[in-house]
Amino acid sequence: MNVETKDHSGLADIFNQNESRVDWHDETLWFIRSKRDKAAQGLPEWELLRETASQIKHNVLSNLDEYLEQFESNAKANGITVHWAANAKEHNEIVHSILKKHNINRMMKSKSMLTEECHLNDYLKKNGVEVIDTDLGERIVQLADEPPSHIVLPCIHKKKEEIGDLFHVHLGTAAGEADPQVLTEAARQHLRETFVTRKLSLTGVNFAVAETGEFVVCTNEGNADMASHLADVHIACMGIEKLIPQRKHLSVFLRLLTRSATGQPITTYSSHFKKPRAGQEMHIVLVDNGRTVQLGREDFRNSLKCIRCGACMNTCPVYRRSGGHSYHNAIAGPIGSILAPNLDMKEYADLPFASTLCGSCSNVCPVKIDIHDQLYKWRQVLVKEGHVSPVKAMGMRAMALTFSMPKFFSFAGKAGRTVMKYFPSVVNNKLNPWYKEREMPAPPKQSFREWYAKERAGK
Amino acid sequence: MSSRDKILAAVRSNKPGQRDLPEINIPVSYEGLTEKYTQVATAIGARVYSVESIAEIKSKLNEFFDPAKRWVASLAEFSDVAETNLANVDPHSLEDVELSIIEAVLAVAENGASWVPEQNVPQRIVPFICQHLVIIVPANKIVPTLHQAYEITAGAEYGYGAFIAGPSKTADIEQSLVLGAHGPRSLTIFILS
Ligand code: SF4
């Protein structure tokens, strides 16, 4: 797939060529969103948990330097080697240097979106290191030579028949075999061989505790544990925003994380690594890669509160119907569209526009990030910095003006309904990619506001 | 300047003004903990039995699992049916373990998880590498939520510890739930009073 030359709407076009697949993708993610709703509604304290989590994260951002130093000194005292990487390049070099030190050229990796962000696999491959992803979904996209399309569900875009074909070629399953049970068993056997033969395990980090120097890794499959408890060397890579102040704060985040992600009450394994086991070497790589810049952007720093649950993707009408790959960034969806322009405004100028600003993302976010507001604000910044085509910019200025003046908004609504009625092509055209290949609904004869006024007057 | 100092300096100059830590003050109910725990653990794929003695557990194990295969345990009480002396073996040598029997420090009603620190397993790999896992939960150690679990274990020394909730699982292929991803294919919990 050539993602270099395309923007989000162009890539979404490709995804949309197969309409039944789009419907299936849409429905699958909505199903997950519904499970999340059920889990959240099962806890009367849900909103209190979200508010508490949000406040803890605000505290983290305002004291991040102290927490980093505290974490470093506690982790060191626990026998862990701590590395600092200013950017992706340095992160990759640190990992490579540890491999070289041990003369290892085959390693296993559990899910880590940070290493996707840093393109670690490509870097190591170029340096002659074989990396095997051990999360089933990640292994599937790795065999397909694709990046993950979702931060929690890496191969959510793939049909079981396609996975069956991949396994037939790479793992020797029977041709045409597409039963998830059989395919999972084949992967289990294949990856067991990996677990017992590879000597180095790299994992991501879900949370790191400043107070104790421990870090927590959450999986359902048990791959991070299988790999790390057998390996001679364990490297854990984390963005600096993954810190939390105290161990007891884990209770708040672990209660929210998986309920938001998949609707499960908790992942099967929430593994707390504090010290290497006897004879083992343990490393932590703390990575900046643009995070301190984002911390300095007042309007966007809250995106660093993200705990990577994926709920904002599952609920997003644009993500569900355009697929994760259309975001041409390691992290897709609403949160990815806020994080990406921080790294490269020019390359990712299209992403904050890949949203209807419906606000559903902000409503489900377990740490209360104002996601859709930030998307809106990025649009302003990108126009100001000249990264947006003049046509789009003009439309945006009109929209900003409209939303800022309630009186004008009601007039513009009336005008809009008239325009849509008589000149639907003005809305239903190329400049409005979300309505491409879709008929706009017939405009109502009167707005809710007009109807309400009339009803009241009649009483 | 080292990357460490550069990162810390950038954080210092870019961080927002001080925001205080909130109290964790979440209402809690202590009613029906065993029922709740049993219900949630069952829903996430475990089978749960309330028992009164180790002998009762052993007889159930003989019924469920093949005693001819390799069993390992963390409790000396099981030395007649399982290997219990594993502290110094190479973890790779446990690859053919059929059944691991371990004890939890506590269990959590809201999510069906059990807290298993390093001290409760002969090797870190033991609850993961086996085909089937058995966790014994003391009946008076079931707490309502994770908040109480972290309170009770505050200050406990461990090099490693995990909340384990259910058998290992995946839904990566078209969201079809499959038990037995990389770790145990089944989890049996005995609530021991
Ligand atoms: S922004 Fe919020 S909803 Fe989206 S992945 Fe991060 S924590 Fe989850």
Side-chain angles (χ1 to χ4, degrees):
Chain A
M1 186 178 57
N2 181 7
V3 295
E4 312 303 328
T5 54
K6 291 268 181 195
D7 67 355
H8 179 271
S9 73
L11 290 163
D13 272 351
I14 298 172
F15 188 74
N16 272 270
Q17 278 162 9
N18 183 340
E19 189 137 354
S20 66
R21 177 186 288 259
V22 176
D23 289 342
W24 165 78
H25 189 261
D26 182 12
E27 280 157 23
T28 307
L29 287 154
W30 187 254
F31 170 65
I32 300 164
R33 153 81 211 258
S34 314
K35 288 199 291 186
R36 170 256 170 224
D37 289 350
K38 228 176 123 198
Q41 285 152 13
L43 292 187
E45 63 268 44
W46 185 255
E47 288 305 316
L48 182 55
L49 281 170
R50 283 179 78 212
E51 181 57 32
T52 308
S54 170
Q55 287 182 26
I56 296 170
K57 283 287 185 178
H58 279 299
N59 171 269
V60 169
L61 297 185
S62 71
N63 294 283
L64 189 56
D65 50 335
E66 287 153 43
Y67 291 143
L68 281 165
E69 286 181 300
Q70 194 189 355
F71 176 75
E72 178 190 40
S73 83
N74 284 325
K76 277 183 171 167
N78 292 338
I80 303 176
T81 309
V82 181
H83 309 258
W84 300 71
N87 49 40
K89 181 169 172 281
E90 193 175 6
H91 162 266
N92 294 345
E93 287 166 359
I94 290 168
V95 173
H96 191 212
S97 73
I98 300 169
L99 283 154
K100 276 194 293 200
K101 181 181 129 196
H102 292 275
N103 239 326
I104 294 174
N105 59 10
R106 302 192 308 172
M107 58 168 274
M108 47 194 165
K109 183 159 81 63
S110 307
K111 194 146 71 196
S112 151
M113 288 315 297
L114 176 67
T115 59
E116 295 292 335
E117 175 187 321
C118 296
H119 302 289
L120 176 71
N121 283 17
D122 287 347
Y123 174 88
L124 290 178
K125 200 170 161 189
K126 277 192 202 112
N127 284 280
V129 178
E130 176 216 60
V131 181
I132 293 190
D133 281 313
T134 57
D135 172 84
L136 177 58
E138 287 223 306
R139 185 64 184 142
I140 289 166
V141 290
Q142 187 180 36
L143 290 175
D145 203 14
E146 289 174 13
S149 68
H150 187 291
I151 57 176
V152 175
L153 317 156
C155 69
I156 193 71
H157 61 292
K158 282 234 173 298
K159 293 278 213 179
K160 59 178 189 260
E161 291 77 16
E162 297 168 297
I163 298 167
D165 290 346
L166 277 172
F167 278 24
H168 174 60
V169 172
H170 295 278
L171 308 183
T173 51
E177 179 61 69
D179 177 19
Q181 187 91 37
V182 175
L183 297 178
T184 303
E185 182 63 30
R188 177 181 171 101
Q189 302 302 340
H190 153 67
L191 288 166
R192 270 224 159 200
E193 194 269 331
T194 307
F195 291 130
V196 295
T197 52
R198 305 307 195 260
K199 294 189 166 10
L200 186 141
S201 159
L202 189 148
T203 68
V205 169
N206 289 89
F207 306 99
V209 184
E211 175 191 41
T212 58
E214 74 198 284
F215 60 92
V216 176
V217 182
C218 303
T219 76
N220 277 323
E221 298 182 6
N223 53 320
D225 287 283
M226 277 294 278
S228 304
H229 304 321
L230 291 170
D232 298 339
V233 186
H234 177 182
I235 307 175
C237 300
M238 58 178 272
I240 52 173
E241 83 283 17
K242 288 278 149 90
L243 275 177
I244 59 172
Q246 297 160 20
R247 186 173 172 273
K248 70 176 182 194
H249 295 138
L250 286 169
S251 65
V252 176
F253 293 106
L254 290 179
R255 293 191 78 189
L256 289 165
L257 176 64
T258 320
R259 287 184 172 98
S260 299
T262 61
Q264 293 169 261
I266 189 169
T267 46
T268 305
Y269 305 109
S270 309
S271 303
H272 299 50
F273 293 89
K274 196 170 181 181
K275 296 175 182 168
R277 68 168 199 277
Q280 188 190 37
E281 206 176 285
M282 199 178 271
H283 298 261
I284 286 174
V285 189
L286 296 165
V287 184
D288 179 351
N289 204 36
R291 285 162 177 77
T292 53
V293 176
Q294 190 85 321
L295 189 65
R297 297 188 204 270
E298 202 185 328
D299 285 339
F300 306 114
R301 60 165 62 111
N302 286 350
S303 60
L304 296 171
K305 290 159 69 184
C306 175
I307 58 172
R308 302 284 191 272
C309 72
C312 57
M313 303 174 190
N314 304 342
T315 202
C316 176
V318 176
Y319 176 89
R320 282 189 274 119
R321 298 199 67 85
S322 62
H325 288 155
S326 64
Y327 293 80
H328 57 98
N329 180 48
I331 299 181
I335 185 66
S337 302
I338 300 173
L339 297 173
N342 175 57
L343 290 173
D344 188 335
M345 278 196 216
K346 188 163 175 281
E347 181 164 357
Y348 299 112
D350 55 320
L351 293 186
F353 294 89
S355 166
T356 63
L357 303 182
C358 71
S360 184
C361 46
S362 309
N363 284 332
V364 296
C365 178
V367 288
K368 291 190 154 186
I369 300 173
D370 51 341
I371 306 172
H372 72 295
D373 286 338
Q374 293 192 37
L375 288 168
Y376 183 63
K377 285 175 187 158
W378 259 127
R379 295 181 185 184
Q380 324 296 311
V381 174
L382 292 164
V383 169
K384 219 185 259 162
E385 303 275 326
H387 295 301
V388 176
S389 75
V391 179
K392 214 181 226 171
M394 202 167 71
M396 276 191 44
R397 269 196 295 276
M399 194 161 101
L401 195 69
T402 312
F403 285 143
S404 66
M405 297 187 295
K407 280 252 172 60
F408 182 66
F409 180 49
S410 68
F411 163 76
K414 207 180 271 175
R417 280 189 298 284
T418 310
V419 170
M420 270 175 65
K421 196 159 156 202
Y422 299 107
F423 308 98
S425 64
V426 176
V427 184
N428 202 350
N429 70 7
K430 271 223 184 80
L431 299 180
N432 194 351
W434 290 110
Y435 298 109
K436 218 186 310 177
E437 290 170 29
R438 224 154 283 143
E439 284 300 314
M440 284 295 284
K445 291 214 174 59
Q446 52 182 186
S447 73
F448 174 75
R449 197 187 279 251
E450 284 164 350
W451 171 84
Y452 186 70
K454 213 156 126 192
E455 286 295 296
R456 274 183 48 140
K459 283 225 166 105
Chain B
M1 206 164 36
S2 69
S3 288
R4 176 189 185 277
D5 295 343
K6 256 191 270 175
I7 293 169
L8 287 172
V11 171
R12 265 175 220 123
S13 66
N14 289 350
K15 68 180 181 177
Q18 172 63 22
R19 298 281 295 266
D20 292 334
L21 269 178
E23 287 294 319
I24 301 180
N25 205 347
I26 315 283
V28 59
S29 155
Y30 282 84
E31 256 163 66
L33 293 181
T34 306
E35 294 73 32
K36 173 89 180 156
Y37 173 70
T38 305
Q39 178 221 322
V40 177
T42 308
I44 57 178
R47 14 175 210 190
V48 185
Y49 300 92
S50 286
V51 293
E52 276 163 15
S53 67
I54 297 276
E56 207 182 329
I57 296 176
K58 280 184 195 167
S59 92
K60 282 245 178 348
L61 293 182
N62 278 318
E63 195 184 308
F64 297 155
F65 303 103
D66 183 355
K69 294 192 170 155
R70 190 174 182 194
W71 293 13
V72 302
S74 61
L75 300 158
E77 289 99 314
F78 287 90
S79 59
D80 55 335
V81 294
E83 295 168 48
T84 52
N85 198 354
L86 300 165
N88 298 315
V89 306
D90 173 358
H92 293 85
S93 70
L94 299 169
E95 219 240 303
D96 59 348
V97 167
E98 176 75 4
L99 181 66
S100 294
I101 306 159
I102 59 175
E103 190 185 27
V105 165
L106 55 78
V108 185
E110 65 154 331
N111 57 25
S114 310
W115 173 246
V116 182
E118 192 164 32
Q119 290 83 341
N120 283 37
V121 288
Q123 293 263 353
R124 290 182 186 185
I125 195 70
V126 160
F128 302 97
I129 203 165
C130 53
Q131 297 295 323
H132 302 277
L133 178 63
V134 166
I135 301 182
I136 299 168
V137 173
N140 59 352
K141 294 286 170 58
I142 302 177
V143 301
T145 74
L146 280 179
H147 306 302
Q148 291 75 43
Y150 279 104
E151 256 163 48
I152 291 171
T153 57
E157 263 312 314
Y158 55 86
Y160 167 83
F163 282 107
I164 300 179
S168 113
K169 58 172 81 75
T170 181
D172 274 343
I173 302 178
E174 280 200 16
Q175 285 299 295
S176 304
L177 181 68
V178 179
L179 301 184
H182 302 301
R185 299 171 190 273
S186 77
L187 170 64
T188 309
I189 296 166
F190 292 105
I191 303 176
L192 179 62
S193 51

